[in-house]
């Protein structure tokens, strides 16, 4: 000021104000630091400008300098710095400022100060403090009430958020777009369709045109309530959908089992020149994982690489999950090893991928490394690693891990944990130990007993199966899965009279067995095959390929196992039934459609692969010299050179 020859304080303040309006805050700061006397208005202008430009740390430092200079802050100062403290997560500093405000004789009853203070406490999850401040303010406005609603919603207290909204409307406070957006989120979290529709009606009456925030929340609310078609209707009325809206729709479709539609919407988004972010990409990769659509997943992976997001932990976890569920465990492992930052989601995805591919030792090894990686296991971790032990027959490792969970007072054993352990014990032939474990559960559910029933089938224990079946019927009389399992147990032991009785019983109960189905993707098109179904356009070629394969593998010692077909058929029909199992049809078609011997044949099946088909595929992989990957309802089987990755344990 002295060098410039401007002795007047007001002129200096006006010049700083000009710098701020021209977005030249650094020039303004230089002049500000040269001033010997600075008015509170100038302090406030500098602090609020730093906050507006997201330079929060500098705003707080300037506020602290102001206090040291003996300047008494006013309402405008506090309404600015409370936001700064909440943005940086500085709760104690915020409390000190609140105390300083009260000591100075100022009151939080000022709606601007009160709203900022409520917003700060709400963002810290201190809802009692936020509510106490709110109650002190007589003339409440929409900003204050919305801050309170947002706080309750973000802290999982959605019922309370709806109550505040109801009181706000009763008091005649007109909701704005952000209010509606927040309260619709609360309805979605509660999956409360009725209240959501009422608020939708109020929104229509209150505003002439929906803003993006409220419309996006409306779309999300309907999808969380399972009304995805209503979400699509809301989206269709958008003229200016932003990335958040597109992503919300894609996520809603995935959450409602409409993964193919989600992929279609994603393609539409790209065509509209909308650039996806990490959250969008991780969501659409989840759709590929669920559908096991490798080609589409690889295309999205290419986009991820182009955008430089391959090391992002959210996208990385989604890529690991996608490749793991498509059976490409080496690629999943490579992505995992290249992540900049590991969290429980990415580690769980990798452990689950190992579990599905039968790499139990690798899954356990990664689990044991988690403390050293600074990652704390959660419920999903334990389920995945116990599943890995079950799939690989790692009995002692499974016992060790289950015992550690049981002895950890921070973790409550869930039904899923018990189910994994029962499956592990049952597969290992420890049926009585598995039954004792179930009896330790306070209220064992039908899944636990059905899991043990499945193990009875593996080991042919008919007597235990009958006993377990009674427990299942007590809990769920019409459980078709258990009836089918018991019927299969009788069949595997040659008790065809009991099989016939079970069929009659199931017919009377109108229970139906899901038909076996396998599918394979060729050149972007999915081809489905049902057991015994010869309706495919290339069925004659498929039949010839099956004959050719059968001749070769029978020469190597393959013998059809008639135990896996109905015994009331004659020998010729038994062999024919085995011959046209769905996975055999899919593999034959895959071989016909791909002459490149380096190409892997990848098929999927809705049920567990039967013993005969498992043996058949091993022989076929040997004679054709190609890897065959089969994903059934339980896991992946990697067949190569006459061997399977499961070691015949599945």
């Amino acid at each position: 000021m002295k060098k410039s020859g401007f002795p007047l304080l007001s002129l200096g303040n006006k010049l700083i104000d000009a710098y701020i309006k021209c977005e030249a805050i650094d020039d303004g700061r230089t002049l500000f630091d040269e001033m010997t006397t600075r008015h509170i208005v100038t302090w406030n202008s500098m602090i609020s400008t730093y906050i507006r430009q997201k330079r929060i740390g500098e705003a707080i430092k300037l506020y602290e300098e102001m206090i040291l200079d003996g300047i008494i802050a006013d309402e405008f100062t506090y309404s600015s710095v409370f936001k700064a403290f909440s943005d940086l997560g500085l709760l104690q500093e915020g409390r000190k400022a609140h105390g300083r405000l009260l000591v100075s004789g100022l009151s939080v009853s000022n709606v601007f100060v009160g709203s900022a203070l409520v917003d700060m406490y709400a963002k810290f999850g201190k809802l009692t403090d936020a509510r106490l401040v709110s109650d002190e303010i007589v003339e409440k406005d929409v900003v204050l009430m919305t801050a309170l609603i947002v706080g309750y919603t973000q802290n999982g207290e959605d019922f309370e958020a709806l109550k505040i909204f109801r009181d706000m409307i009763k008091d005649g406070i007109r909701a704005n777009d952000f209010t509606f957006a927040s309260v619709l989120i609360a309805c979605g979290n509660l999956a409360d369709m009725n209240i959501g529709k009422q608020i939708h009606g109020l929104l229509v009456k209150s505003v002439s045109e929906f803003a993006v925030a409220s419309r996006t929340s409306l779309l999300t609310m309907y999808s969380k309530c399972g009304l995805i078609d209503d979400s699509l209707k809301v989206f269709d009325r958008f003229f200016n959908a932003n990335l958040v809206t597109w992503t919300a729709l894609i996520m809603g479709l995935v959450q409602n089992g409409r993964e193919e539609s989600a992929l279609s919407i994603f393609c539409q988004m790209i065509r509209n020149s909308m650039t996806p972010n990490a959250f969008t990409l991780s969501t659409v990769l989840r759709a590929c994982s669920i559908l096991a659509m490798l080609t589409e997943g690889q295309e999205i992976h290419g986009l991820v690489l182009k955008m430089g997001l391959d090391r992002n932990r959210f996208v990385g976890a989604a890529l690991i999950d996608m490749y793991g569920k498509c059976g490409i465990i080496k690629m999943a492992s490579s992505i995992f090893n290249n992540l900049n930052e590991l969290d429980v989601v990415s580690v769980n995805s990798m452990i689950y991928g190992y579990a599905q591919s039968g790499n139990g030792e690798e899954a356990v090894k990664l689990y044991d490394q988690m403390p050293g990686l600074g990652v704390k296991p959660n419920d999903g971790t334990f389920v995945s690693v116990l599943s890995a032990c079950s799939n690989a027959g790692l009995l002692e490792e499974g016992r060790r891990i289950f015992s550690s969970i049981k002895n950890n007072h921070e973790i409550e054993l869930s039904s899923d944990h018990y189910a994994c352990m029962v499956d592990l014990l049952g597969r290992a032939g420890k049926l009585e130990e598995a039954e004792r474990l179930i009896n330790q559960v306070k209220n064992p559910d039908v899944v636990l007993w059905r899991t043990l029933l499945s193990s009875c089938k593996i080991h042919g224990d008919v007597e235990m199966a009958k006993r377990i079946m009674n427990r299942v019927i007590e809990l769920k009389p019409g459980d078709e899965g258990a009836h089918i399992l018991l019927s299969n147990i009788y069949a595997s032991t040659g008790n065809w009279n009991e099989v016939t009785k079970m069929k009659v019983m199931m017919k009377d109960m109108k229970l139906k067995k899901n038909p076996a189905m396998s599918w394979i993707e060729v050149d972007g098109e999915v081809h489905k095959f049902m057991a015994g179904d010869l309706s495919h356009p290339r069925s004659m070629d498929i039949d010839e390929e099956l004959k050719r394969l059968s001749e070769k593998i029978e020469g190597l010692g393959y013998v059809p196992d008639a135990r896996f077909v109905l015994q009331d058929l004659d020998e010729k029909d038994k062999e024919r039934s085995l011959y046209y199992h769905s996975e055999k049809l899919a593999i034959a078609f895959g071989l016909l459609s791909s002459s490149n011997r380096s190409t892997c044949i990848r098929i999927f099946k809705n049920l567990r692969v039967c013993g005969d088909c498992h043996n058949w595929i091993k022989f076929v992989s040997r004679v054709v010299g190609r890897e065959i990957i089969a994903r059934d309802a339980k896991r992946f089987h990697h067949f190569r050179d006459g061997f399977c990755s499961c070691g015949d344990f599945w």
Side-chain angles (χ1 to χ4, degrees), residues 149 153 161-162 165 178-188 199:
I149 289 169
T153 302
L162 292 176
F165 178 74
F178 294 107
T179 318
F180 280 115
S182 301
V183 80
L184 284 166
I185 288 171
C187 292
I199 294 172

Side-chain angles (χ1 to χ4, degrees), residues 12 15 31 71 95 151 194 213 241 302-303 384 416 426-427 491 580 640:
L15 189 54
L31 179 57
I71 306 297
R95 286 196 187 279
N194 294 326
L303 183 59
S384 294
D416 288 338
R427 286 172 175 273
Y580 290 117
R640 182 180 295 174

Side-chain angles (χ1 to χ4, degrees), residues 49-310:
T49 301
Y50 275 133
I51 292 172
R52 191 175 66 252
Q53 294 186 358
K54 308 297 183 186
R55 295 165 69 171
I56 311 297
E58 291 171 88
I60 291 174
K61 284 182 181 178
L62 192 58
Y63 162 74
E64 291 170 345
E65 183 182 328
M66 171 183 163
I67 299 301
L68 289 173
D69 278 6
I71 306 297
I72 299 174
D74 61 11
E75 286 93 342
F76 191 86
T77 316
Y78 287 114
S79 63
S80 297
V81 296
F82 286 141
K83 181 183 186 309
F85 289 131
S86 63
D87 285 348
L88 287 185
L90 302 173
L91 174 60
Q92 294 307 316
E93 287 78 358
R95 286 196 187 279
K96 288 178 184 177
H98 184 186
R100 192 174 284 118
L101 178 147
L102 296 175
V103 169
S104 67
L106 297 173
S107 173
V108 296
S109 61
N110 177 292
V111 71
F112 297 107
V113 177
S115 296
L117 194 53
V118 166
D119 181 65
M120 182 190 78
Y121 281 129
K123 285 180 178 175
F124 286 125
K126 304 296 180 181
L127 298 177
T128 301
D129 293 325
R131 193 62 180 266
L132 288 171
V133 173
S134 172
D135 290 343
E136 288 185 43
I137 302 171
V138 178
E139 297 294 328
K140 297 178 175 64
D141 68 357
V142 65
V143 176
L144 172 70
M145 300 306 290
T146 301
L148 205 54
I149 289 169
V150 169
Y152 277 107
T153 302
Q154 289 180 341
N155 286 278
E157 297 194 30
D158 301 291
F159 279 116
E160 195 63 32
L162 292 176
K163 284 172 63 179
I164 293 167
F165 178 74
R166 180 196 61 197
D167 294 342
M168 168 184 159
I169 299 301
K170 282 183 179 178
D171 291 340
I173 301 174
R174 188 182 179 88
N176 62 21
D177 184 58
F178 294 107
T179 318
F180 280 115
S182 301
V183 80
L184 284 166
I185 288 171
C187 292
N189 291 342
L190 295 169
D192 195 322
M193 176 182 62
N194 294 326
I195 296 179
K197 286 189 172 182
Q198 290 175 30
I199 294 172
H200 185 181
L202 185 60
L203 176 60
V204 172
K205 293 177 183 177
S206 301
V207 295
S208 57
E209 184 177 343
F210 298 0
V212 173
S214 58
R215 188 166 285 183
T216 302
S217 294
L218 185 62
L219 180 156
T220 302
M221 184 274 293
Y222 278 124
S223 68
K224 285 187 174 180
C225 291
L227 302 174
I228 192 63
D229 290 326
D230 290 296
S231 293
L232 289 165
K233 288 176 185 176
V234 172
F235 183 80
D236 287 340
R237 295 191 182 100
F238 265 101
F239 295 105
N240 56 342
N242 60 17
L243 179 59
V244 175
T245 308
W246 283 97
T247 303
L249 180 61
I250 291 169
M251 171 163 276
L253 288 164
V254 173
Q255 289 173 339
N256 283 274
R258 303 270 285 271
E259 293 85 8
E260 290 184 4
S261 296
L263 289 168
S264 177
I265 291 292
F266 177 73
C267 292
Q268 184 181 333
M269 182 187 109
I270 299 298
R271 287 195 297 269
N272 284 13
S273 302
M274 187 70 66
T275 303
N277 61 16
F279 192 63
T280 319
L281 292 166
S282 61
T283 303
V284 77
L285 280 167
R286 183 181 166 197
C288 295
S289 297
I290 294 169
L291 296 172
M293 298 183 76
L294 178 61
T295 303
E296 290 76 3
Q298 287 173 324
E299 290 174 356
I300 295 169
H301 188 185
L303 183 59
V304 167
L305 292 170
K306 186 177 179 180
M307 296 178 65
L309 291 171
D310 52 309

